[in-house]
Every structure is written in structure tokens, then in C-alpha cells.
């Protein structure tokens, strides 16, 4: 760990690409751009089927397609050679790379540490993964980017178990966090546990300055390389990197102690790993193992993140949490949240100890040694059994330090396992805005409309006079389904922006509440209160939205 939060500037970290040779980075970027080594370019080369297989880490269809491209040499042989080198880990001849990448050539790739010789063959093989990455522009034309991202070779690209300081590439968890993050302009943002830097790339498009931290020096070296390789697309001046990015070496929040940020994002090493007495820290897979027992790494972050949030600042992260026998999944996460902090947890899935062990043993290719796999599997099961754990949840976490202490606190813990829309971040942000709007304005004088993506569904028995089930469904965002009572269905049907919520509730109270009070003594006051509480939930969830008046 650094003694102070000074810049990580090393450009020649062992076994990581060099970032201290700007002329070679410029030449490499120009070559890759000229070659059309982009997401679209690679997709056109491989075709839909081979591209889909490669996204599943199945390389054989892509190998066959690129072999045909090289054999036919119809103008895309150079791109095929580069795809084979970095995406498929197929060694290439130096002269082939010289022709494909004439600006940097094979010698420059060797100097940067992106390739290495295959002994006795005269070929060069990938020393790191280098692949295209990008995202589309917003409707106003802003925000799109085409980048190249270096990381360590993945399990399907090499033999043996992954190195313990493995720098993970762009995976499902990192893209999930990208899609989940609520994007808003922020002066200072923190990428906690940056890895190869994917969260930082996105933050640089809407934040003035990003601090990226990691416990791994190699991870920071990859991040620095990736930022400088894509300096133009990320609006970074290579000669003044510190103006926009600060790279810090250290554990969790240690490198930023005493600082505050408007936005924190983190894909932390949340994987629950069995602990052993006297274990060697160097044997941890640092990209996924935070070194703490059980789900303590996520618990400690949820509790500590508010310390680095500015007033109104938010934190978003992914995490695992243990579910003990006889308890509800949210019991542990609820205990982690400090008083006075807004929190929203969404559990996306829950698996048993066996499936959890299989997932993470496969992730690091630990099944290639039969005895090691058996011992490691047994250690997972024994570890979970020692804490009476029968399930492990995975999901998304949103935290906020309220902008003012007198505001009501948001606390939501919900399970949503069905498919949702991506990116979901804009919809989560809109939900937070609606919750804040309700706290500031209330419902009585509000004009409401049914959201454009909402449809109503009614079911009734044949011959029945009235439907037995009335459902509201969302076609966008979290795609919720809400079961409506008769009075709530009547309220929704009247939300055309002409009457206030209070007026609609009053009419329904007179029509339904009063009749019920006359028949069985039901008090009309609770009718109205309960109805408006249900309406408030529909507003929070986006079925109803405030009308502009």
C-alpha cells in the first residue's frame, strides 16, 4: 500500500503492459482503428453464430471462420490474424503482425509486453488479452465510445489454473455494474477495485475526475495502459493524466480515507471463499477474494461507504450475501446499513452452496486437477455448513448519503429474478427521483398519468360479472407486475391528468368507502389513507408518473 494517496505512475510493472511509451500507444491505437478492430468489425468478420459462441467463451466457430478468412485472403486476413492472436490466443508469425499492424509492428508489441515468443517456433503468442469494447451514444449523440481493453488471458485462452493476481477482463459482473449505474454528472467519482478499468472508462464520460483504486499493482498497471491507449476517446491528455484520473494502490477505502465523492462504484472481490488457518495471502485470487470470511467484505463496504460520500452522494456496487437456514434473504443486508442512510438492495438470484462452489471453482479452472477440485469443493461445503448457510444471494446495492438530514430515509429490499431491461441504470435513477418527488410534494394535489409502457390485464371466470384478477404490467425498466384491488384499478383508470390524486381518491371514497362504512362499519378515513398509500407505491415503481402542470 502507498504511504500516501499519491499517484500510481509505474509504466513498467512486471507482467503487465507498459504504459510509459506514448509513441507506441499512439501507433497501436492508429493501427487498430485502421484495421477496424472494433466490436462491429469483429462481428462482421465472424458472423452471428461464431460471434455468439465467442461470447459464451466457445472459440471453435471463431477459429474456423478466421481460418477461412486467412485462407481466402479477401481483404480481411489482417483483421482475422489479429482476432486469432488476441481473442483466440492463436500464435502468429512476426511478419503477419508486421503486415497487419504496420505502425507498431511485432517489435513494438514485444516492447509493450502484449506478445511473447513461442520458444523454438518463430511465432509470437498473446501475453495479454486485448479486445474491442464500446457503447452506443445517447439519443442526443453524446456519450458513445469505441475502445480497446487489455487484461490477462482468460481461462479458455490458456492452460492451467489462473495466476492469483489475475487481472480480470470485461465479464458479466462488470457489465452488469455498468448497466446498473445511475449516470449523472459528478465532480469527483471513485472506482473502488478498478481491475482493468472498465468502470473508470464509463465514469470519465460523465465525471470530471475519477479516482481508481485497487489492491493489485498489476490491475492498476492495466488500467493505466488502457486509459492511455484510449486517451482520445476518454478525453484524457496523456501528458496530464492526473487532471482527470488518480490511480491509488491500497485495500478497500484506505487509499481515499478522509476524502468525499459524489459517486462511488464498485465491483468488489465479493466471492465467498473458505478461509484456512495460516493461509497465504498470495494464494488468494485477488480479483474475486477480499480475504475476509463469509460475506464480510460486502458487509464492511456497505457500512463504510457512507464515510466517503459527499452529501447527496451515492454508491452502487454488486455483492453476495449469505442466507442462513430459517431466515429471509434480506435479514443480513438490512443489518449492514447504517442509520440515516438511504439503501436499495435488489436480489437477482439465490443459489445453494453446491452450485456456488461449482461456479467459482470453474471460474478459475480449478477443475483441471481432480484431487484439488475435490478438496476445494469439500472446503466450500464445510465453510457454509459452519455458519448454517443454505443459500447465497447475488444482487445490486444502491446507497445514498441524504442531501439533508431531515429528509425521510429510503429503505428497499426486494427480490427481482425475472428478466429486466438493460441498461437499468436510467430506470433506477428515475425511481429515486420519483421517491424524492413524493417526499417533497405528496399526492393530494398531484396530477398523475399512467406511464407509457404500462398495460392492464384482467382475468375472470367464464360467466362472471367482474374480473377476479386485475394486473398492471410494465414493459420497460424492472418490468414489474402489480396486483390491483378494485378501488386501485379504478384510481389508475382515472389517471389522465385532469383530476388531482386527492380528487380521485375522494370520489372513490364516496363511491366505495362510504358504502362499505354503511354496511359493516368500515371507517372511510382508513380507506382513503390506504388507497393513497397504494398509489404512492405505484408512483415509486413507475406505473404512475407525475403530469407536467
Amino acid at each position: 500500500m502507498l504511504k500516501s494517496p499519491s499517484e500510481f505512475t509505474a509504466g513498467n510493472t512486471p507482467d503487465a503492459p507498459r504504459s510509459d511509451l506514448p509513441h507506441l500507444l499512439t501507433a497501436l491505437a492508429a493501427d487498430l482503428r485502421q484495421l477496424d478492430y472494433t466490436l462491429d468489425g469483429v462481428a462482421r468478420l465472424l458472423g452471428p453464430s461464431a460471434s455468439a459462441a465467442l461470447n459464451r467463451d466457445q472459440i471453435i466457430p471463431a477459429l474456423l471462420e478466421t481460418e477461412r478468412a486467412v485462407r481466402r485472403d479477401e481483404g480481411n486476413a489482417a483483421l482475422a490474424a489479429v482476432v486469432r492472436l488476441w481473442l483466440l490466443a492463436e500464435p502468429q508469425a512476426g511478419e503477419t503482425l508486421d503486415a497487419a499492424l504496420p505502425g507498431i509492428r511485432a517489435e513494438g508489441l514485444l516492447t509493450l509486453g502484449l506478445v511473447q515468443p513461442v520458444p523454438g517456433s518463430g511465432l509470437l503468442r498473446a501475453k495479454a488479452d486485448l479486445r474491442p469494447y464500446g457503447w452506443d451514444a445517447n439519443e442526443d449523440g453524446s456519450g458513445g465510445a469505441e475502445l480497446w481493453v487489455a487484461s490477462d488471458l482468460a481461462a479458455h485462452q490458456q492452460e492451467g489454473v489462473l495466476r492469483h493476481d489475475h487481472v480480470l477482463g470485461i465479464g458479466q459482473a462488470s457489465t452488469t455494474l455498468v448497466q446498473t449505474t445511475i449516470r449523472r454528472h459528478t465532480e469527483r467519482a471513485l472506482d473502488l477495485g478498478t481491475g482493468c478499468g472498465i468502470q473508470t472508462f464509463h465514469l470519465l464520460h460523465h465525471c470530471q475526475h475519477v479516482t481508481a483504486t485497487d489492491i493489485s499493482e498489476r490491475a492498476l498497471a492495466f488500467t493505466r495502459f488502457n486509459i492511455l491507449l484510449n486517451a482520445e476517446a476518454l478525453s484524457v491528455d496523456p501528458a496530464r493524466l492526473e487532471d482527470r484520473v488518480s490511480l491509488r494502490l491500497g485495500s478497500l477505502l484506505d487509499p481515499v480515507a478522509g476524502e468525499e465523492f459524489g459517486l462511488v462504484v464498485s465491483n468488489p472481490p465479493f466471492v465467498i471463499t473458505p478461509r484456512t488457518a495460516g493461509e497465504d495471502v498470495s494464494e488468494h485470487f485477488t480479483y474475486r477474494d477480499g480475504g475476509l470470511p463469509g460475506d464480510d467484505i460486502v458487509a464492511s463496504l456497505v457500512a463504510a461507504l457512507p464515510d466517503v460520500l459527499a452529501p447527496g452522494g451515492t454508491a452502487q456496487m454488486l455483492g453476495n450475501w449469505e442466507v442462513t437456514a430459517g431466515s429471509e434473504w434480506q435479514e443480513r443486508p438490512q443489518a449492514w446499513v447504517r442509520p440515516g442512510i438511504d439503501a436499495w438492495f435488489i436480489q437477482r438470484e439465490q443459489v445453494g452452496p453446491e452450485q456456488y462452489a461449482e461456479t467459482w471453482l470453474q471460474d478459475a479452472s480449478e477443475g483441471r486437477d481432480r484431487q484439488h477440485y475435490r478438496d476445494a469443493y469439500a472446503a466450500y461445503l464445510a465453510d457454509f455448513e459452519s455458519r448454517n448457510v443454505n443459500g447465497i444471494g447475488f444482487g445490486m446495492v444502491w446507497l445514498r448519503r441524504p442531501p439533508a438530514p431531515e429528509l425521510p430515509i429510503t429503505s428497499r429490499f426486494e427480490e427481482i429474478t425475472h428478466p429486466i431491461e438493460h441498461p437499468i441504470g436510467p430506470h433506477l435513477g428515475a425511481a429515486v427521483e420519483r421517491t424524492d418527488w413524493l417526499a417533497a410534494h405528496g399526492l393530494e394535489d398531484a396530477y398523475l398519468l399512467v406511464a407509457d409502457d404500462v398495460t392492464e390485464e384482467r382475468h375472470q371466470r367464464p360467466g362472471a360479472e367482474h374480473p377476479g384478477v386485475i394486473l398492471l404490467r410494465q414493459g420497460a425498466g424492472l418490468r414489474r407486475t402489480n396486483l390491483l384491488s378494485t378501488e386501485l384499478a379504478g384510481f389508475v383508470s382515472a389517471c389522465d391528468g385532469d383530476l388531482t390524486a386527492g380528487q380521485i381518491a375522494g370520489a372513490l371514497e364516496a363511491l366505495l368507502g362510504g358504502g362499505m362504512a354503511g354496511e359493516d362499519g368500515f371507517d372511510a378515513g382508513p380507506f382513503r389513507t390506504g388507497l393513497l398509500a397504494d398509489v404512492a407505491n405505484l408512483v415509486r415503481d413507475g406505473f404512475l408518473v407525475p403530469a407536467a402542470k
Side-chain angles (χ1 to χ4, degrees):
M1 186 186 305
L2 298 181
K3 294 181 180 179
S4 64
S6 56
E7 292 296 307
F8 173 88
T9 58
N12 195 13
T13 302
D15 292 326
R18 296 184 64 172
S19 58
D20 58 343
L21 301 169
H23 65 288
L24 289 182
L25 294 176
T26 300
L28 175 59
D31 281 345
L32 296 176
R33 191 176 299 110
Q34 179 64 33
L35 196 60
D36 197 22
Y37 188 53
T38 62
L39 289 173
D40 289 342
V42 172
R44 283 192 292 270
L45 172 71
L46 298 181
S49 297
S51 293
L54 188 58
N55 289 336
R56 301 191 301 271
D57 294 337
Q58 300 296 326
I59 66 173
I60 301 304
L63 281 170
L64 297 175
E65 287 296 330
T66 53
E67 283 174 2
R68 281 192 283 268
V70 171
R71 189 167 58 247
R72 293 170 182 169
D73 193 15
E74 297 175 344
N76 54 10
L79 176 59
V82 170
V83 169
R84 289 172 68 80
L85 172 71
W86 278 313
L87 300 188
L88 308 179
E90 284 289 303
Q92 300 295 305
E95 55 268 25
T96 300
L97 297 179
D98 288 344
L101 304 167
I104 190 169
R105 302 175 63 83
E107 181 180 357
L109 298 179
L110 283 163
T111 301
L112 287 178
L114 292 172
V115 299
Q116 59 187 349
V118 178
S121 70
L123 299 176
L124 297 173
R125 67 185 177 199
K127 192 175 180 180
D129 181 284
L130 182 67
R131 64 181 56 224
Y133 174 72
W135 60 91
D136 294 332
N138 298 322
E139 292 183 0
D140 61 3
S142 65
E146 287 189 346
L147 312 174
W148 302 280
V149 180
S151 64
D152 276 329
L153 295 170
H156 69 280
Q157 296 171 306
Q158 58 180 314
E159 297 179 354
V161 177
L162 299 180
R163 57 186 296 161
H164 288 84
D165 58 354
H166 178 80
V167 177
L168 194 65
I170 301 168
Q172 183 175 351
S174 56
T175 54
T176 296
L177 183 57
V178 164
Q179 295 165 338
T180 301
T181 301
I182 300 170
R183 304 289 168 189
R184 59 188 179 92
H185 176 75
T186 305
E187 287 298 317
R188 301 189 70 226
L190 171 62
D191 176 8
L192 179 64
T194 187
C196 68
I198 178 174
Q199 308 303 325
T200 290
F201 309 150
H202 286 267
L203 291 173
L204 283 169
H205 272 257
H206 62 96
C207 302
Q208 189 61 34
H209 188 276
V210 179
T211 298
T213 70
D214 208 285
I215 199 171
S216 165
E217 184 174 342
R218 292 186 69 246
L220 291 174
F222 271 97
T223 295
R224 189 173 193 272
F225 174 88
N226 289 330
I227 292 172
L228 294 176
L229 177 62
N230 298 288
E232 182 179 351
L234 297 174
S235 301
V236 169
D237 181 353
R240 299 177 60 87
L241 177 63
E242 66 279 1
D243 287 353
R244 303 225 45 219
V245 181
S246 174
L247 301 174
R248 312 268 184 88
L249 183 66
S251 177
L252 300 179
L253 295 171
D254 289 348
V256 295
E259 300 181 52
E260 291 185 346
F261 301 88
L263 174 61
V264 179
V265 298
S266 182
N267 180 20
F270 59 72
V271 176
I272 298 169
T273 306
R275 306 264 70 96
T276 58
E279 63 185 0
D280 186 351
V281 174
S282 66
E283 294 300 303
H284 296 170
F285 289 105
T286 56
Y287 72 93
R288 72 183 202 189
D289 180 5
L292 297 179
D295 51 19
D296 283 0
I297 190 76
V298 178
S300 63
L301 277 175
V302 170
L305 278 171
D307 292 335
V308 299
L309 293 179
T314 59
Q316 291 190 251
M317 60 182 285
L318 304 178
N320 276 160
W321 37 82
E322 295 182 337
V323 184
T324 56
S327 67
E328 298 295 327
W329 75 265
Q330 66 269 29
E331 289 183 22
R332 289 181 61 77
Q334 283 174 336
W336 300 340
V337 180
R338 284 162 41 176
I341 298 300
D342 293 325
W344 188 4
F345 281 65
I346 299 177
Q347 177 166 282
R348 293 291 288 139
E349 68 172 334
Q350 184 175 316
V351 299
E354 292 81 6
Q355 186 177 347
Y356 194 84
E358 293 159 14
T359 296
W360 293 109
L361 290 172
Q362 180 182 1
D363 174 76
S365 300
E366 294 183 82
R368 293 171 178 175
D369 181 326
R370 183 180 179 88
Q371 187 59 48
H372 171 79
Y373 182 79
R374 176 175 178 171
D375 294 344
Y377 200 131
Y380 266 103
L381 298 187
D383 184 56
F384 286 129
E385 186 178 6
S386 71
R387 294 187 297 277
N388 198 29
V389 173
N390 67 357
I392 302 92
F394 168 81
M396 308 179 291
V397 179
W398 174 87
L399 304 170
R400 182 174 65 175
R401 179 180 170 187
E406 67 273 10
L407 294 178
I409 298 301
T410 295
S411 181
R412 300 190 73 173
F413 295 82
E414 53 186 330
E415 185 172 39
I416 300 177
T417 57
H418 58 257
I420 61 178
E421 182 179 4
H422 286 294
I424 194 62
H427 298 281
L428 299 181
V432 171
E433 290 175 359
R434 290 191 300 269
T435 299
D436 291 345
W437 178 88
L438 278 169
H441 298 89
L443 279 178
E444 284 289 344
D445 298 323
Y447 294 87
L448 301 175
L449 296 171
V450 179
D452 290 341
D453 66 308
V454 171
T455 56
E456 184 182 89
E457 199 173 294
R458 296 186 176 227
H459 301 266
Q460 63 190 74
R461 298 282 299 170
E465 184 177 356
H466 301 293
V469 175
I470 306 174
L471 301 174
L472 278 191
R473 295 192 185 276
Q474 287 179 323
L478 291 169
R479 293 174 175 155
R480 301 174 187 271
T481 298
N482 197 300
L483 177 64
L484 302 185
S485 63
T486 301
E487 57 268 24
L488 192 55
F491 188 101
V492 171
S493 67
C495 287
D496 56 8
D498 288 338
L499 300 174
T500 67
Q503 289 171 329
I504 299 173
L508 288 169
E509 183 180 32
L511 180 64
L512 300 174
M516 294 168 65
E519 293 172 3
D520 57 13
F522 182 83
D523 186 358
F527 174 90
R528 181 188 183 92
T529 301
L531 176 59
L532 288 178
D534 289 339
V535 171
N537 288 332
L538 292 181
V539 173
R540 289 188 188 93
D541 291 343
F543 291 95
L544 299 176
V545 295
K549 283 287 184 179

